[in-house]
Amino acid sequence: MKHSTAQLPSANAATSMQLGPLTRLLVGDKGGQRFLMGLLALLIIFPTCNLLFAEGSALHVSTYTLTLVGKYLCYALLAIAVDLIWGYCGILSLGHGAFFALGGYAMGMYLMRQIGDRGVYGNAELPDFMVFLNWTELPWYWFGFDQFWFAALMILLVPGALAFLFGWLAFRSRVTGVYLSIMTQAMTYALMLAFFRNDMGFGGNNGLTDFKDILGFDLQDSSTRNGLFVCSAVALGLGYLLARWITQSKLGRVLVSVRDAENRTRFLGYRVEHYKLFVFVVSAMMAGVAGALYVPQVGIINPGEFSPINSIEMIIWVAVGGRGTLFGAALGAIAVNYAKTYFTGAFAELWLFMLGGLFVMTTLYLPKGMVGFVEQLKAGEGRSGRLYLWLLAQLRKRELKDAQPAADQGELK
Amino acid sequence: MRMVHGLLLWLIACSISQSVLAATDVEATVSQSSQAPSIMTLQSLIDTLPTASYDEKSILIRSIAEKSTDDSLAILTALLQGDLFYIKKTQQLVYRAPTEGKQYRAIAALTGEILGEYKNRKLKKVGINNKLRGELKNAIALVQLKSPDSRVRQHAVDALMGSLQPEYLPLIHQALLVEKDNQIREPLMVAKAVLDLSSKETELYRSAINTLHGSLYPAARIALIKFIEAPHHHSSSVLIDQAKQAIASIDQKVKLNNIAENVYFGIALGAVLLLAAIGLAITFGVMGVINMAHGEMIMLGAYTTFVVQQCMPNHLNYSLLVAIPAAFLVSGLVGVLIERSVIRHLYGRTLETLLATFGISLILQQAVRSIFGPLNQDVNTPDWMAGTFSVNPGLALTYNRLYIILFSLLLLAALALVLKKTLFGLQMRAVTLNRPMASSMGIKTGWVDALTFGLGSGIAGIAGVALSQLTNVGPNLGQAYIIDSFMVVVFGGVGNLWGTLVGAMSLGIANKVFEPLAGAVLAKIIVLVAIILFIQKRPRGLFALKGRAVEG
């Protein structure tokens, strides 16, 4: 399959030399420019409307909506991470939820330690569930999580290390395609089973919850929520730029060639495994950050996040938005999740039918997602594209007719 | 009457003061009964039952059992089941039978004479308590020990084994004298040895220990331990050593038993995995289609079983035989439908197929949930699948697992036959190997694709019938098996039925062997991690296809 994805900067090399690093990344990336502008607008408008306008005002954005959108932004970052490896390197990971959840757990552990003696049992050292299990001291892997810098480091390191280990083993022995997908699924499934166990020391079935504050700010406070929202938006923007930077670099070209013809790339002398491993680890870290920003906003992390269906759902965000276009993946995540929120609220029965139908329809009729569909329409390719062009032509004809009823008919023909 | 009561009071005094020496009571009863046979007929014994206290009843039960006739057996069984009543006014012991009106017909317990009709409140049940219930069971077993039917005797011995009492010894002796069936002799010998060992007759100890050496009856081990711990024999340290050896040999046998049981469970789990994975071996292995909706095909099969059972509630024993072809058809048709409508358009795009079929699995799940509700459905197990098959006293294998093991192997063999020996199988293999060439030979490749997918799905449906006998039938049934089945196929090697068999069995056994060491969940995690590591070593599984097919 060919993908018209690796958009080269349309400006020529000479002009791009004079541009700043940021501009150079975005030149020729119209969708990306619009996406970042939209994100910036969101970043300014939402907190402003939430804080400045009183409740009941038409312009007021409730903290609930703010948090909900913040959650979508985390998902969007996750989608970009998935797109980075699937859209640009052909690695279909059905276990990316594991990295997201690990990042979430690292943040959750920090938040747990912040509770201190305000828990139900009032134990300053141990989280409630450990007291409940009659544990007397903190397991070794919980040490350090009372420090934010340590937790932040772990948010990057733990998913990164797992991805490195898994990827190193898998890519080195050339486990590819479907096999790799099934293995990643097995990985997240095994992790889910493990985290469900009480004696793992991660709260078992219930996971980590009842968080109180983050860096000393009350999590229930709407200003904290605004801060988290801003963090999510900034992280999404930075994540986008990072992914864009990777895909636009020379390394990114190699990745695309690995996607399209892995063996050929290998025969050209590239160490395919190293490229794959690099991008896999980066993607896992991005997923970890997304998870870490997600947890304080939703207030809970439990082993359900590891479930294989979650990971597959991420794939569908990317597929719906447009595989191989970073902003498309982000938009897909937001669109699908908005639909999910709406339909699970309005017609709970229908949601799985909708999601399932979305999977089938997207793969059958929108192989390049929404972004690809729009491009296809514009270019007039395929049946729908031709239909679109024909409709446009009809419209123009009618306009012309209306404007100049007496115009020369022969000219139009 | 008064005489009997007097006698009983004396006996009660005996039994209360010396309940440990219960054997004496029996002897006393026996001697009394020989002195006064007219009083102690069965009729007179049961006449005292209604008014007797629980302690008196206990003695009466023993005396009735001593008679060991069919009548006494009937009385004891009725007493145990609460079918024995007495007429309040006359204190006659009766069974009752419902009449058309509100009254009951009273039938005299021994003679079968009809004593007229009584209202419910005129009849009173002969009460028993839990202690009596246990004694009754033993008493019945003792009577049954003399039954001409060997199966009844076997059952009786098994029942006695649970709670051996010293006073059974004479009866066991008697039984041993006439018993010819070795299967019944053995537990009787063990029972005798256990009783000997707890008796005071030191000269019997040696042979008793020898009998108990390596015996798997739980009573044997308990008796040996008691013997070692008991303080009453300082004379023979040799005997104690022997007893210790006997325990050691029992423990070793128990260990072997446990291993055998784990392996059996492992093979049974392997058979389940095999059933779940065979269909996948076709759709994934032969066609190269990743069918994430495979688990839902299994689920459809299980639900078909449920529906079939709802349609024929009077013939539950045959329902499975109907359900197997029905499930094959239902799942197979759904499979053909999926292939024609979706998968056909996605050949050569494996990852897209994966996503599309995952979508289908969500739709099927939700459809089943909407139709049947989110709760688990109750699927009945036919009688012939219930029960256990006991290999030795410590090891009993359940029939349902045995049937599933056999069934899975049968299915695999049938499938192998279809693939190798039928025209359809030939065409299927031809299309797999070289599509354009097969097409130019006149094979309708599209048709073959659809049927192949239907076959794989239909077999998944049959697996669902089998799984409905083992697990809960609910909308999430399929999800539980999809990852495992993929693991089996990937581990065994794609496109290889033999690999699927070996893969399923080794995963099943590995799971069950790790389970006692690490717990069920951890065992599963270990196996998953092991497969992930194994795939690094052999990315194409245990039995990889060689040659050109690998490239596809």
Side-chain angles (χ1 to χ4, degrees), chain A residues 247-267:
Chain A
T247 52
Q248 290 309 299
S249 65
K250 183 161 169 281
L251 184 143
R253 310 284 168 70
V254 179
L255 289 180
V256 173
S257 74
V258 169
R259 178 192 73 191
D260 291 339
E262 183 170 337
N263 278 337
R264 226 180 273 188
T265 317
R266 185 174 283 123
F267 298 153

Side-chain angles (χ1 to χ4, degrees), chain A residues 1 3 86 90-92 94 166 168-179 181-183 185-187 189-191 193-197 263 308-309 312-313 315-316 319 323 348-357 359-360 363-365 367, chain B residues 284 288 290 292 341-343 345-346 349-360 362-370 479-480 482-484 486-487 489-490 493-494 518-519 521-522 524-525 528-529 531-533 535-537 539-541 551:
Chain A
M1 250 181 49
H3 296 268
W86 186 38
I91 304 170
L92 176 58
L94 295 184
F166 187 90
W168 185 69
L169 286 169
F171 301 140
R172 195 184 48 132
S173 49
R174 302 191 189 167
V175 178
T176 51
V178 185
Y179 292 89
S181 306
I182 294 175
M183 285 302 122
Q185 195 178 23
M187 176 192 76
Y189 185 59
L191 279 171
L193 291 178
F195 273 74
F196 264 123
R197 286 161 47 86
N263 278 337
I309 182 170
I312 299 183
E313 230 173 89
I315 302 297
I316 206 64
R323 178 189 168 195
E349 284 259 301
L350 280 182
W351 168 243
L352 275 185
F353 284 126
M354 295 270 311
L355 187 66
F359 273 89
V360 178
T363 43
L364 281 183
Y365 301 112
Chain B
F284 181 35
I290 300 284
M292 294 298 276
S341 57
V342 177
I343 294 174
H345 305 288
L346 296 171
R349 290 158 61 190
T350 337
L351 297 180
E352 273 87 348
T353 325
L354 191 154
L355 294 180
T357 48
F358 185 77
I360 294 170
L362 291 183
I363 293 175
L364 286 176
Q365 261 179 50
Q366 186 58 42
V368 165
R369 200 173 285 131
S370 302
Q479 291 227 305
I482 185 72
I483 291 185
D484 284 334
F486 269 115
M487 287 298 126
V489 175
V490 168
V494 174
V521 179
L522 210 56
K524 195 152 192 176
I525 297 169
L528 280 176
V529 172
I531 297 175
I532 292 177
L533 291 178
I535 290 299
Q536 320 298 333
K537 264 276 169 253
R540 297 275 164 183
E551 300 302 320

Side-chain angles (χ1 to χ4, degrees), chain A residues 360-379:
Chain A
V360 178
M361 292 304 151
T362 313
T363 43
L364 281 183
Y365 301 112
L366 293 178
K368 287 173 194 165
M370 298 187 307
V371 174
F373 184 67
V374 172
E375 278 171 6
Q376 194 184 339
L377 283 187
K378 280 183 188 161

Side-chain angles (χ1 to χ4, degrees), chain B residues 267-281 294 404-405 407-413 459 463 484-485 488-489 497-505:
Chain B
I267 293 177
L269 180 65
V272 169
L273 292 178
L274 180 63
L275 280 171
I278 292 176
L280 206 66
H294 181 77
I404 282 186
I405 294 172
F407 183 67
S408 66
L409 294 178
L410 212 67
L411 197 63
L412 186 74
I459 287 178
D484 284 334
S485 350
V488 167
V489 175
L497 287 184
W498 177 241
T500 311
L501 173 66
V502 176
M505 287 302 162

